Amino acid sequence: MHLLETLQYLAYDPGITPSGGGLPGLAVLRNVVNSINLFAIVAVVGALAVSLGVWAWGHHTGGHQAEANGKKGAVVAAGAALGLGAANGVVAFFSALGSQVH
């Protein structure tokens, strides 16, 4: 009967929480993720510049398809920038929200 109570307790609370510094190489992984985020932000800046250029070119030449594609590209680039900037906060928010589930 004692084993059954222990298993029931573990099913409700396994006692696992994230802790920093538990594995070697965590600093290297953080640097890699930060670098990926930086490259993505630089790519989004380039995509936004190209999209705005296509939008302007389409507008001034009467190319409605190019203008529409430029607008779509600008919106997508802006959304990507928002997502990249908010990624850390979104993950922290949902991690804190998930830790409240019992």
Side-chain angles (χ1 to χ4, degrees):
M1 192 77 150
H2 181 67
L3 178 63
L4 182 59
E5 291 173 359
T6 304
L7 288 176
Q8 285 176 339
Y9 175 75
L10 287 176
Y12 293 116
D13 184 16
I16 298 171
T17 58
S19 64
L23 292 173
L26 186 59
V28 173
L29 182 61
R30 282 186 181 142
N31 284 336
V32 168
V33 172
N34 287 339
S35 298
I36 290 170
N37 197 7
L38 174 64
F39 282 120
I41 288 173
V42 170
V44 165
V45 169
L48 182 60
V50 169
S51 296
L52 293 175
V54 169
W55 184 358
W57 176 74
H59 177 74
H60 289 293
T61 61
H64 300 294
Q65 188 70 28
E67 184 179 0
N69 286 336
K71 286 179 187 179
K72 284 188 279 186
V75 170
V76 168
L82 178 67
L84 288 168
N88 198 27
V90 169
V91 170
F93 171 76
F94 283 108
S95 177
L97 191 65
S99 68
Q100 295 176 6
V101 175
H102 294 287

